[in-house]
């Protein structure tokens, strides 16, 4: 699997898109720091962008990479390799190279700005860690969609819809249901609803880390009570890990049954 | 070498293979023929484990191949469409496949024969169709395996390369390899094949030597013999 992983990351590192992605983050980092002139504030702005952009990029790259490397995959399938090796190798290779673009693109401007001497170093690193998690999650989800759809246009459409749902529509439904069921105790419901969407979960994790949960009012207090504890952090990170493992496992199952 | 029994495969509502029974003995060149959509590629891909059959058995060297992967170490496959990662150069691709297989390879010889040397440092995305097919051929023939499966090997090749290809195939046959070829070019079949298998609508319509087919259809020319089968079927 390491060989496949190496080759797919190598292949991606050479494609123009990895550089575009890297440069985008580089530019974003510098602009934010320039405008905010304050590392902590820049981290908060960055969070709002990362939480939406990283899943989108992961989704698009996942689908695009799968469809583009189809012929290469077929070449690999004829070699003495296990199917799970091929697909997991490609998945991890893609996720790693996207994560590297993210880490370097954002890391470089913040290092220049002196993140290591700043108190925001932990906030910043938790931001990057969630960014990496979101990359792995959304690449896996989109590869699953691509595996189930032979038609590229359909695959792309479904993948974008999935992103739109998790990044925007889910929150809308969530808020509406909070309003409708206002008379009932909703803290458990909102906790669970947050856990079942990786984007919301990441957002809450970062917000609490940034210690601005007071802004969230009563719900914020409930969340702080849950996520602020050691157990809460462990549970939420386990849920993030599950969000990676389950789609990755589905990739293995789906690819094992597919005809090429 | 290969034993296939009662092989069925549907793609959705389309029935592609309807209970194929086929035995391919070790050594020699077998041509799998049939009209478009008769299931040639599906049959080949089932042997390779790329298509998962609905039912039936496939054994290579008496070992079932379903859900297995290590048996492919002894198979060289030439895919029908020669498409590769566009960001790699020819040299890198060859190196990579060699690295993945971990077998000794005779790639430099083949590169010489097929005249690929000037293209070694070029990106695969910039190559013409014929040159890609040559790269495809190098990747397929560079390893020493008992079984070779060639899906439309002549696609896009110029006459000089076609002669080289025939030479390579004959050489492989000489040293006792089993070679399975699908093609639509009947002159190629007449020249190369020891035995042919004719697929029609997912069944084996005929299996035997070219002479036997000619006797069966009372046609002297192979092309006409095949055409004869098809018109008889449609009549």
């Amino acid at each position: 699997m390491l060989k496949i992983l190496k080759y797919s990351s190598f292949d991606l590192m050479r494609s123009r898109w990895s550089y575009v992605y890297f440069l985008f983050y580089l530019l974003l980092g510098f602009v934010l720091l320039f405008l905010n002139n304050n590392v902590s504030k820049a981290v908060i702005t960055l969070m709002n962008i990362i939480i939406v952009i990283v899943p989108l990029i992961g989704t698009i790259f996942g689908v695009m990479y799968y469809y583009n490397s189809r012929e290469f995959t077929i070449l690999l399938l004829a070699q003495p390799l296990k199917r799970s090796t091929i697909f997991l190798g490609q998945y991890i290779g893609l996720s790693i190279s996207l994560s590297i673009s993210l880490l370097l693109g954002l890391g470089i401007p913040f290092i220049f700005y002196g993140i290591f001497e700043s108190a925001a170093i932990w906030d910043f690193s938790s931001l990057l860690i969630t960014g990496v998690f979101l990359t792995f999650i959304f690449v896996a989800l989109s590869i699953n969609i691509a595996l189930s759809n032979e038609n590229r246009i359909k695959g792309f459409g479904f993948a974008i819809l999935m992103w739109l749902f998790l990044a925007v529509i889910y929150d809308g439904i969530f808020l509406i249901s909070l309003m409708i069921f206002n008379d009932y105790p909703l803290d458990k419901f909102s906790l669970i609803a947050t856990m079942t969407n990786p984007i919301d979960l990441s957002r809450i994790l970062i917000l609490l880390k940034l210690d601005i949960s007071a802004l969230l009012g009563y719900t914020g207090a409930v969340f702080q009570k849950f996520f602020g504890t050691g157990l809460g952090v462990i549970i939420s990170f386990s849920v993030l890990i599950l969000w990676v493992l389950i789609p990755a496992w589905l990739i293995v199952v789906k690819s094992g049954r597919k005809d090429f | 070498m290969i034993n296939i029994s009662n092989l069925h495969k549907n793609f959705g509502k389309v029935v592609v293979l309807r209970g194929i029974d086929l035995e391919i003995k070790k050594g020699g060149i077998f041509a799998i023929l049939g009209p478009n959509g008769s299931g040639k590629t599906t049959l080949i891909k089932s042997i390779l484990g790329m298509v998962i059959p609905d039912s039936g058995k496939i054994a290579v060297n008496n070992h079932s191949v379903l859900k297995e992967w290590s048996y492919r170490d002894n198979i060289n496959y030439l895919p029908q469409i020669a498409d590769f990662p566009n960001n790699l150069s020819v040299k890198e691709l060859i190196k990579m496949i060699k690295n993945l297989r971990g077998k000794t390879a005779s790639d430099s010889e083949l590169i010489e024969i097929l005249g690929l040397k000037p293209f070694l440092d070029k990106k695969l995305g910039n190559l013409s169709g014929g040159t890609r097919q040559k790269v495809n051929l190098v990747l397929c023939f560079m390893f020493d395996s008992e079984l070779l499966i060639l899906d439309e090997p002549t696609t896009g090749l110029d006459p000089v390369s076609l002669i080289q290809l025939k030479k390579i195939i004959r050489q492989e046959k000489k040293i006792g390899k089993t070679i399975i070829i699908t093609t639509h070019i009947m002159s190629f079949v007449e020249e190369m094949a020891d035995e042919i298998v004719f697929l029609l609508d997912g069944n084996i319509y005929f299996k035997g030597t070219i002479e036997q087919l000619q006797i069966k259809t009372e046609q002297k020319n192979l092309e006409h013999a095949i055409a004869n089968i098809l018109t008889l079927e449609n009549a």
Side-chain angles (χ1 to χ4, degrees):
Chain A
M1 185 156 94
L2 273 176
K3 280 180 191 168
I4 306 278
L5 200 158
K6 197 181 101 194
Y7 282 114
S8 36
S9 0
F10 186 60
D11 182 32
L12 277 157
M13 291 289 176
R14 293 194 150 187
S15 81
R16 221 176 309 132
W17 288 108
S18 307
Y19 290 108
V20 172
Y21 189 44
F22 165 70
L23 288 174
F24 167 74
Y25 276 118
L26 200 66
L27 201 71
L28 185 71
F30 275 119
V31 167
L32 281 181
L33 285 170
F34 177 73
L35 289 178
N36 281 301
N37 229 340
N38 175 324
V39 177
S40 300
K41 275 188 192 157
V43 167
I44 295 172
T45 321
L46 203 55
M47 178 205 81
N48 284 315
I49 297 171
I50 280 198
I51 235 99
V52 177
I53 295 288
V54 167
L56 179 64
I57 301 278
T59 306
I60 292 176
F61 267 76
V63 179
M64 216 165 65
Y65 183 75
Y66 175 82
Y67 287 130
N68 267 344
S69 62
R70 224 188 113 76
E71 284 78 24
F72 179 51
T73 309
I74 288 174
L75 184 72
L76 290 179
L77 282 166
Q79 309 299 325
L81 296 165
K82 253 196 214 168
R83 280 198 179 185
S84 53
T85 309
I86 297 171
F87 286 93
L88 281 183
Q90 290 187 340
Y91 159 55
I92 297 171
L94 174 58
S95 306
I96 286 180
S97 59
L98 285 180
S99 303
I100 288 174
S101 294
L102 170 75
L103 293 177
L104 288 182
L106 287 181
I108 291 170
F110 276 79
I111 286 170
F112 265 110
Y113 208 81
I115 185 82
F116 286 124
E117 283 110 56
S118 148
I121 174 86
W122 293 114
D123 298 343
F124 183 64
S125 17
S126 69
L127 190 68
L128 290 184
I129 291 170
T130 26
V132 171
F133 262 114
L134 285 174
T135 303
F136 273 83
I137 291 169
F138 278 84
V139 170
L141 289 174
S142 61
I143 290 181
N144 268 302
I145 290 175
L147 271 170
S148 324
N149 289 288
E150 276 300 293
N151 185 332
R152 288 170 190 227
I153 307 287
K154 248 187 177 174
F156 249 106
F158 281 133
I160 296 291
L161 267 182
M162 171 206 63
W163 169 79
L164 198 66
F165 177 77
L166 288 175
V168 183
I169 299 171
Y170 189 92
D171 285 353
I173 297 173
F174 187 19
L175 284 177
I176 289 170
S177 52
L178 285 186
M179 272 160 66
I180 293 175
F181 300 106
N182 205 5
D183 298 339
Y184 301 90
L186 285 170
D187 27 332
K188 263 207 183 126
F189 165 74
S190 30
L191 269 180
I192 292 168
T194 309
M195 291 281 190
T196 45
N197 181 343
I199 294 183
D200 280 349
L201 184 59
S202 311
R203 184 184 287 131
I204 296 287
L205 269 176
I206 299 169
L207 280 180
L208 291 166
K209 193 92 195 81
L210 295 179
D211 233 10
I212 45 175
S213 49
L215 294 176
L216 297 173
Y218 168 69
T219 344
V222 174
F223 277 73
Q224 181 77 63
K225 219 173 105 198
F226 177 75
F227 288 102
T229 59
L231 184 71
V233 171
I234 291 171
I235 290 177
S236 37
F237 268 104
S238 317
V239 172
L240 273 185
I241 291 171
L242 278 183
W243 265 107
V244 177
L245 291 183
I246 293 172
W249 173 73
L250 279 175
I251 291 178
V252 174
V253 173
K254 279 213 175 105
S255 65
R257 288 187 193 147
K258 197 175 155 66
D259 297 317
F260 289 90
Chain B
M1 181 95 210
I2 303 175
N3 285 295
I4 296 172
S5 60
N6 204 17
L7 191 68
H8 285 268
K9 178 70 193 174
N10 304 347
F11 288 113
K13 281 180 191 159
V14 186
V15 184
V16 182
L17 300 178
R18 308 167 194 259
I20 298 256
D21 291 297
L22 180 65
E23 195 197 344
I24 292 175
K25 290 196 190 78
K26 197 174 154 35
I29 300 175
F30 291 81
I32 298 180
L33 308 177
N36 299 332
S38 58
K40 301 182 296 282
T41 300
T42 307
L43 179 63
I44 281 181
K45 285 188 169 175
S46 308
I47 298 173
L48 283 159
M50 293 161 80
V51 165
I52 297 155
D54 297 332
S55 63
K57 282 177 192 155
I58 304 171
V60 174
N61 285 332
N62 293 324
H63 290 287
S64 171
V65 302
L66 301 175
K67 298 210 163 163
E68 285 294 322
W69 53 276
S70 51
Y71 73 97
R72 285 199 286 269
D73 198 28
N74 217 351
I75 300 179
N76 294 348
Y77 171 56
L78 184 85
Q80 198 173 55
I81 303 163
D83 234 330
F84 306 111
N86 289 336
N87 293 319
L88 293 176
S89 72
V90 177
K91 219 188 201 159
E92 282 163 344
L93 179 72
I94 294 174
K95 202 175 136 204
M96 168 184 153
I97 297 292
K98 270 160 78 176
N99 185 1
L100 283 173
R101 285 287 278 257
K103 262 182 155 181
T104 46
S106 52
D107 51 318
S108 41
E109 233 173 274
L110 285 163
I111 289 167
E112 191 71 46
I113 295 172
L114 293 167
L116 272 178
K117 236 182 192 159
F119 301 100
L120 281 182
D121 289 314
K122 293 233 166 80
K123 291 263 169 81
L124 285 151
N126 302 332
L127 296 182
S128 73
T131 317
R132 275 190 213 198
Q133 180 66 359
K134 287 184 193 170
V135 176
N136 207 4
L137 289 172
V138 172
L139 291 180
C140 172
F141 285 105
M142 67 182 179
F143 298 110
D144 181 24
S145 302
E146 275 180 53
L147 179 61
L148 286 90
I149 298 178
L150 315 175
D151 200 351
E152 308 265 4
T154 55
T155 323
L157 290 182
D158 56 50
V160 182
S161 320
L162 192 61
I163 293 172
Q164 298 292 1
L165 171 67
K166 286 177 189 166
K167 241 190 220 165
I168 296 169
I169 295 177
R170 281 200 195 97
Q171 241 166 25
E172 296 284 334
K173 183 189 161 186
K174 222 188 218 166
I175 48 177
K177 304 280 181 71
T178 313
I179 302 156
I180 299 175
I181 299 176
T182 75
T183 180
H184 287 292
I185 300 174
M186 288 307 136
S187 58
F188 187 77
V189 176
E190 267 183 307
E191 209 181 325
M192 308 294 297
D194 298 313
E195 205 173 331
I196 59 176
V197 174
F198 192 88
L199 289 184
L200 201 60
D201 293 332
N203 283 311
I204 292 179
Y205 182 84
F206 172 83
K207 181 176 183 273
T209 59
I210 295 172
E211 291 78 43
Q212 284 169 335
L213 182 70
Q214 284 163 345
I215 293 165
K216 189 177 175 181
T217 55
E218 297 169 352
Q219 297 281 340
K220 278 195 180 135
N221 179 303
L222 180 64
E223 209 148 33
H224 286 122
I226 297 287
N228 187 288
I229 296 176
L230 295 179
T231 42
L232 274 182
E233 269 309 300
N234 292 333

